[in-house]
Amino acid sequence: MPAQTHLAAALQAAGVEFDDSPLTRALYSSDASLYRVVPSAVVKARGEDDVIAAHEVARELRIPLTMRGAGTSIAGNAVGSGIVVDTRRFNRVLDIDPVARTARVEPGVVHADLQREAALHGLRFGPDPSSHSRCTIGGMIGNNACGSRALGYGRTVDNVESLRVLYGNGELALEQGGLATGDTAKRLAAVGDANLAHLRTEFGRFGRQVSGYSLEHLLPERRRVERFLVGSEGSLATVLEATVRLVDDRVERRLLVLGYPTMADAADAVPALLAAAPGCLVACEGMDSRIVDLVRAKGSAVPELPRGNGWLFAEVAGEDAADAVRRLVATGSALDTRLVDDPREAAALWRIREDGAGLAGRSLPTPAYGGWEDAAVPPEHLGAWLRDFEDLLRAHGLQGIPYGHFGDGCVHCRIDFPFRPGDPASAGAFRDFMTACATRLRDYRGTLSGEHGDGRVRGELLPLMYDETSLDLFREVKAVCDPDGILNPGIIAEPVAITDDLRPVRPQAPVRSGLRLVHDSGDLGAAVHRCTGVGKCVAPRTAGVMCPSYLATKDERDSTRGRARVLQEALDGGLLRGGLGEPAVADALDLCLACKGCSSDCPSGVDMATYKSEVLHQRHDVGRLRRPRSHLFLGQLPKWARLTAPLARPANLLLRARPFAALAKRAAGIDHRRSVPEFASPTLRKATRAARAEDTSPDVWIWADSFTDHFFPQSGLAAIRFLESHGLTVRVIREDACCGLTWITTGQLDRARTIVDRTVRTLAPYVRGGAPVMALEPSCLASLRSDARELSDAEETDLVASGLLSFAELVERLDLPLPDLTGVEVVAQPHCHQSAVIGWDTDQRLLERAGATVTKVRGCCGLAGNFGVEKGHYEVSVAVAETHLLPTVSAHADAVVLADGMSCRVQLDDLAQVPTQHLAELFASRV
């Protein structure tokens, strides 16, 4: 029996849920590191019985077993060639004891979910890594995660009180309080007793010495076997349950930002700051101005920062917070300082810091990678180490932007290693730099890993940090806990080479793109490899748009990261040898709503909506695979609407007849539970025809996009009414001008290009004419601002993209008087494309200035153009609506519901029978 079949049979007999399809194996072949290791099968554990069964199969067949939480491991600690166990459904908070200040949790509990439950008692789990919205407590224990506030609250190891574990040797044990009761724990204690002098001098030398095994916890005076297991990266035992310590969160917090000429200057100031506020300084984070510049370049607002090119974010907490801030200002030797009083501004700055890894990866002219990710030195050496680090970068012809936990001496950096697809030798520069840095770091008695673990990226370098006695001890404790080497092999004790299994040097199939892919020089391979696996898209809750299908299904394949991994495999010629034509590619992209949420929310800049359009083009136009019927109808909806316009009334009558409507839906690939929006009679352009000849030089032009013109002309008429009430002359552009959105989202790119070229040529003279040109449908405006640039490099494209305004932008630019909305409660569902491309801040400002109480719905409505209408997508579309939209609308039954986008209006009408208004309609109703 082949090994793969034998494994499947064993897992099936064990009664666990598993998947060994090429699609799922591709999804789990990478974490957030540079490495690709294809598993044989993925077990999706729902409880400890599943984990124990997977262990038994691994021991019986002598194949590797690797535990995985959110897959955000940067060092390659969560990939393995045998069984990978996904714990995200093994995720209950079992108990919170507010008196003892502890929480008992299963390993798949997401950090942010634990924080929410602890907050009900005024408590929090101290460590808070930047991936807190999706990382699991089990993963944090595996890596000894720390985060920004470890300075005040300690590392994960400092906050673990007990662990229920399954050792690699099969022993099930509860480790707590230093009581070595089980056989494995007693043997580990004996290792400590036999090596007292060595452990006391070589281990636990400073807080961020995370590399290797934490043998200091085997010393008699510090013996805590449960804490010894923290940071062992799943190579000694598997956590089945953890009891962790909580801390008081009802304290006053203040954020002081200090500016310095350089990051090294900021590092020099750290020892004085630590001495100035002992016990009060909770976080002291370093941030480079180039990362902030990247956020500003995206058009995102950044709170005011003090002068400098490098900043320290110093957070203090406690009754002495105000005095501590004064002491920090006095001793910080900064160019300038700013106390951030507004909690929203502080949260915005912390979000930038949290997204540091993804942002740093995009901040250089060439791709920047993880790898040398979080070396740490005692804080008194940080400035000197940073200068040495910069010298090493220059000496090797590399660039990188450092940031990190400066208060703990821990530095993160993404570096532009010159990896070349299809050229394994290009990894030589990576190895040379890593070795040189590790050698220099030894001079400071620093550590290779300050919080992310050694994994595959640093294990081979451990001999540069530890002597042979220490390395022998690593092998000895591995043999005690996991004698057959089943658990996460290749990590720490018997490390694999750092250049084995590197993803960036894998070959990539060339693709002649239908889109320009302007951010990736037309290279689809480079575009999909933007995904570094940081996993913001797999957060179970989100404050943005990304990723609506994952929020609905909680399945890795329906995340932005999952889809990127599948596309990488298709282009790299690994598991999916059929390339983009593979059925697995279609499966992975099927539930992508093309919402564009990832284009703004993903810190690495992944734009899956654009990649999906390209892949559909490659599959159907280049590869000649048959298109679904929905592409021919919904994907060409503006054409059919235009042809139907003269017969709109009889067409609407026919569509109200159930037999005809059912036949039409079946023919068009529309789900039978969906309504068909009525065609407008008259259209916006026809309704305003009489005014066309009156004034050819109006104050404002309205572009009649296809959806406003043919389905929601009331939005345009309301905009005209509101603008004319303020003395403006408004005219509707008479020519037909479609943005091509439906053709783009269905990958009909050749036709879309023709449509877009014609439209930008049509609209360009109006934009040049000087009078503002306004668009009403946000998805169409977003398409001309972003998608058009992917299709056409014509001069008119940029002119039109930058010249069109939304209704809110027009009102703000003209500084028009606002209606009185005092006492009006508004629930607003911004269209996803509006959130991602245009932004909704202007709309919110206008509403609040007008006196309205505004509740903004988080996330996507779930319809997303043709997606939610197509047969096969209804259930997911409804599930997406139920994540945020429907509960919010239901909770505000008397509110005015704003939805500028046609998709959002149709979804609300179908699922909630809720009347909706465009912002222009709301404003016009009050004049």
Side-chain angles (χ1 to χ4, degrees), residues 22-30 68 70 88 528 531 533 535 537-538 547 550 555-570 576 584-585 587-589 606 608:
L23 171 59
T24 296
R25 293 166 67 209
L27 295 174
Y28 287 83
S29 64
S30 298
R68 178 178 172 120
R88 283 176 289 180
V528 301
C531 177
C537 54
V538 297
C547 177
Y550 180 79
D555 193 319
E556 180 76 20
R557 79 169 187 172
D558 299 322
S559 68
T560 304
R561 178 178 70 183
R563 295 183 181 108
R565 292 294 186 238
V566 170
L567 294 180
Q568 289 168 8
E569 284 292 325
L576 309 178
V585 173
D587 290 344
L589 291 177
V606 171
M608 192 53 63

Side-chain angles (χ1 to χ4, degrees), residues 256-323:
L256 176 70
V257 183
L258 303 96
Y260 297 89
T262 68
M263 293 297 289
D265 293 320
D268 288 337
V270 167
L273 295 177
L274 295 175
C280 297
L281 195 55
V282 174
C284 185
E285 297 292 290
M287 178 62 64
D288 192 288
S289 63
R290 289 169 288 182
I291 292 177
V292 174
D293 290 343
L294 187 64
V295 177
R296 291 193 177 110
K298 289 174 56 183
S300 301
V302 175
E304 178 187 350
L305 289 165
R307 289 182 297 117
N309 292 312
W311 296 289
L312 292 177
F313 292 2
E315 183 179 89
V316 293
E319 297 178 359
D320 192 31
D323 287 339

Side-chain angles (χ1 to χ4, degrees), residues 74-272:
I74 294 176
N77 345 51
V79 291
S81 60
I83 301 170
V84 168
V85 180
D86 184 336
T87 64
R88 283 176 289 180
R89 288 189 260 182
F90 185 14
N91 61 355
R92 293 178 300 164
V93 175
L94 299 169
D95 177 61
I96 290 182
D97 185 337
V99 177
R101 292 186 177 180
T102 59
R104 193 164 56 89
V105 300
E106 293 176 335
V109 169
V110 169
H111 178 279
D113 289 342
L114 174 58
Q115 298 293 51
R116 268 184 284 273
E117 294 208 27
L120 299 176
H121 305 280
L123 303 171
R124 63 171 289 138
F125 183 51
D128 60 342
S130 60
S131 56
H132 62 85
S133 65
R134 62 270 189 197
C135 72
T136 64
I137 300 301
M140 292 180 66
I141 291 169
N143 289 353
N144 194 8
C146 302
S148 300
R149 294 180 176 88
L151 184 63
Y153 300 130
R155 308 158 296 170
T156 297
V157 68
D158 304 313
N159 292 276
V160 168
E161 296 300 328
S162 71
L163 294 177
R164 177 175 161 81
V165 299
L166 179 60
Y167 287 104
N169 59 26
E171 182 184 350
L172 190 64
L174 176 64
E175 304 294 2
Q176 60 182 346
L179 301 175
T181 55
D183 180 65
T184 303
K186 289 178 180 177
R187 293 174 64 194
L188 290 171
V191 173
D193 292 340
N195 296 275
L196 299 178
H198 187 79
L199 300 191
R200 285 172 178 147
T201 55
E202 294 300 318
F203 292 88
R205 289 182 284 103
F206 70 105
R208 286 300 182 107
Q209 185 182 346
V210 170
S211 281
Y213 292 131
S214 298
L215 296 173
E216 68 272 19
H217 295 294
L218 298 182
L219 288 166
E221 66 270 22
R222 301 181 61 175
R223 186 158 295 156
R224 298 287 297 267
V225 174
E226 74 279 12
R227 294 188 176 181
F228 160 71
L229 295 172
V230 175
S232 59
E233 304 178 35
S235 66
L236 303 179
T238 294
V239 175
L240 301 175
E241 184 184 299
T243 299
V244 296
R245 187 171 66 196
L246 304 176
V247 296
D248 189 2
D249 200 34
R250 293 167 294 193
V251 293
E252 180 184 3
R253 298 182 188 278
R254 297 199 174 195
L255 175 61
L256 176 70
V257 183
L258 303 96
Y260 297 89
T262 68
M263 293 297 289
D265 293 320
D268 288 337
V270 167

Side-chain angles (χ1 to χ4, degrees), residues 330-602:
T331 61
S333 303
L335 291 174
D336 193 11
T337 63
R338 184 191 172 210
L339 181 63
V340 182
D341 292 319
D342 186 338
R344 291 175 299 182
E345 288 192 332
L349 291 174
W350 283 119
R351 277 195 298 273
I352 295 171
R353 170 59 192 86
E354 289 167 8
D355 289 342
L359 293 169
R362 300 164 50 202
S363 55
L364 301 173
T366 52
Y369 302 91
W372 188 259
E373 184 60 38
D374 62 337
V377 297
E380 61 268 24
H381 300 314
L382 183 60
W385 161 242
L386 266 183
R387 291 179 177 89
D388 281 355
F389 183 70
E390 294 282 359
D391 289 344
L392 287 165
L393 285 171
R394 282 190 292 270
H396 287 79
L398 300 171
Q399 298 181 76
I401 297 179
Y403 63 99
H405 314 300
F406 279 25
D408 287 307
C410 183
V411 178
H412 298 321
C413 189
R414 293 285 163 116
I415 300 170
D416 62 343
F417 298 114
F419 296 122
R420 291 185 297 275
D423 181 9
S426 65
F430 171 61
R431 175 188 286 280
D432 291 345
F433 180 79
M434 296 283 286
T435 304
C437 270
T439 303
R440 185 71 61 87
L441 187 69
R442 185 171 54 192
D443 298 339
Y444 295 101
R445 298 209 75 194
T447 181
L448 297 168
S449 171
E451 65 177 334
H452 292 147
D454 299 311
R456 292 173 172 268
V457 77
R458 285 182 281 270
E460 186 190 359
L461 301 174
L462 284 173
L464 295 175
M465 176 177 174
Y466 289 111
D467 61 17
E468 194 59 35
T469 300
S470 298
L471 299 175
D472 285 341
L473 287 172
F474 293 164
R475 290 186 279 268
E476 184 175 353
V477 295
K478 172 71 170 176
V480 167
C481 297
D482 182 31
D484 295 324
I486 299 299
L487 299 185
N488 212 359
I491 305 297
I492 304 178
E494 298 290 345
V496 296
I498 64 173
T499 51
D500 286 356
D501 305 313
L502 281 172
R503 185 162 29 89
V505 299
R506 288 177 52 75
Q508 292 177 18
V511 175
R512 186 174 180 180
S513 300
L515 294 170
R516 295 175 63 213
L517 301 174
V518 293
H519 299 295
D520 297 283
S521 304
D523 185 345
L524 181 61
V528 301
H529 277 278
R530 273 178 171 263
C531 177
T532 58
V534 294
K536 193 174 180 182
C537 54
V538 297
R541 293 175 177 81
T542 178
V545 176
M546 178 184 73
C547 177
S549 52
Y550 180 79
L551 292 177
T553 70
K554 299 297 192 297
D555 193 319
E556 180 76 20
R557 79 169 187 172
D558 299 322
S559 68
T560 304
R561 178 178 70 183
R563 295 183 181 108
R565 292 294 186 238
V566 170
L567 294 180
Q568 289 168 8
E569 284 292 325
L571 294 175
D572 295 355
L575 282 169
L576 309 178
R577 298 187 183 280
L580 298 177
E582 275 272 1
V585 173
D587 290 344
L589 291 177
D590 181 51
L591 295 186
C592 172
L593 284 77
C595 68
K596 282 194 174 290
C598 51
S599 69
S600 59
D601 292 353
C602 172

